[in-house]
């Protein structure tokens, strides 16, 4: 198993894992998988990785900016998805710790994540990787016409 930089040729597998995550209704307010161009524009070019085993993508992670303002250039939101076929094996932890390490090397000082309260797997993953719970955003947005809360988590880096 190895963690490597996410490239365009990985996107079909990344998109499938993303689609599986969205189908749970617990992973995101998004309901459709974007094209490569839209995905590539949303996520920062640095700090995007896939976890592979024999060239099969098992999971992916990436950072997106929280703001275009220069003062927030070291703050990013992390996104992480593991294929349902490979969950429960510690791969999410391995991938998230790799992302944290690389974010620090790239000058990020804060990572944040927004997690549905029902998504205990993601919530626990982030907490075990050093994120702290900032608070709950009540009825922050709708998915499929239903209001949902989000738990805001953050990780201050060593920088």
């Amino acid at each position: 198993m190895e963690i490597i930089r996410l490239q365009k040729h990985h996107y079909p597998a990344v998109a499938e894992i993303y689609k599986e995550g969205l189908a749970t209704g617990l992973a995101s307010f998004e309901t459709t998988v974007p094209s490569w161009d839209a995905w590539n524009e949303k996520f920062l070019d640095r700090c995007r990785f896939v976890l592979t085993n024999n060239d099969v993508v098992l999971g992916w992670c990436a950072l997106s900016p929280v703001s275009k303002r220069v003062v927030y250039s070291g703050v990013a939101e992390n996104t992480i998805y593991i294929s349902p076929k490979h969950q429960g094996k510690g791969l999410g932890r391995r991938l998230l710790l790799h992302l944290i390490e690389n974010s620090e090397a790239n000058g990020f000082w804060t990572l944040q994540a927004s997690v549905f309260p029902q998504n205990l797997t993601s919530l626990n993953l982030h907490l075990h990787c050093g994120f702290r719970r900032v608070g709950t955003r009540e009825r922050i947005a709708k998915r499929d016409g239903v209001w949902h809360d989000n738990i805001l988590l953050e990780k201050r880096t060593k920088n």
Side-chain angles (χ1 to χ4, degrees):
M1 249 181 260
E2 64 180 334
I3 298 173
I4 57 176
R5 186 167 159 70
L6 192 157
Q7 303 289 332
K8 184 176 181 177
H9 71 273
H10 295 120
Y11 192 66
V14 165
E16 183 59 31
I17 293 169
Y18 193 29
K19 181 180 174 184
E20 292 169 335
L22 296 181
T24 67
L26 298 175
S28 175
F29 285 108
E30 302 296 331
T31 57
T32 59
V33 176
S35 67
W36 163 256
D37 290 335
W39 188 95
N40 189 46
E41 187 174 317
K42 176 181 178 178
F43 292 101
L44 296 169
D45 187 46
R46 57 189 183 204
C47 295
R48 51 168 80 166
F49 301 100
V50 288
L51 175 65
T52 63
N53 189 21
N54 296 321
D55 296 322
V56 174
V57 176
L58 309 179
W60 65 274
C61 63
L63 296 180
S64 55
V66 298
S67 175
K68 293 182 180 182
R69 295 175 59 195
V70 174
V71 296
Y72 293 109
S73 63
V75 183
E77 182 170 7
N78 78 285
T79 300
I80 182 167
Y81 285 82
I82 302 296
S83 168
K85 297 174 221 137
H86 300 285
Q87 291 176 0
K89 301 175 183 175
L91 303 180
R93 179 178 168 82
R94 183 173 172 188
L95 192 55
L96 185 54
L97 289 174
H98 183 83
L99 181 63
I100 291 166
E101 180 181 319
N102 278 271
S103 72
E104 291 175 354
N106 278 275
F108 290 94
W109 58 79
T110 299
L111 297 183
Q112 68 180 40
S114 294
V115 178
F116 289 134
Q118 304 89 331
N119 191 344
L120 296 177
T121 300
S122 184
L123 183 60
N124 288 329
L125 169 65
H126 283 85
L127 292 172
H128 284 97
C129 288
F131 283 72
R132 72 177 185 92
R133 186 179 178 146
V134 176
T136 300
R137 297 162 152 180
E138 295 179 5
R139 298 170 45 96
I140 189 72
K142 288 183 180 181
R143 181 184 161 118
D144 300 324
V146 177
W147 287 103
H148 289 276
D149 296 347
N150 248 190
I151 297 174
L152 180 61
L153 304 158
E154 76 172 8
K155 166 107 175 78
R156 292 295 303 222
T157 67
K158 299 171 190 169
N159 295 334

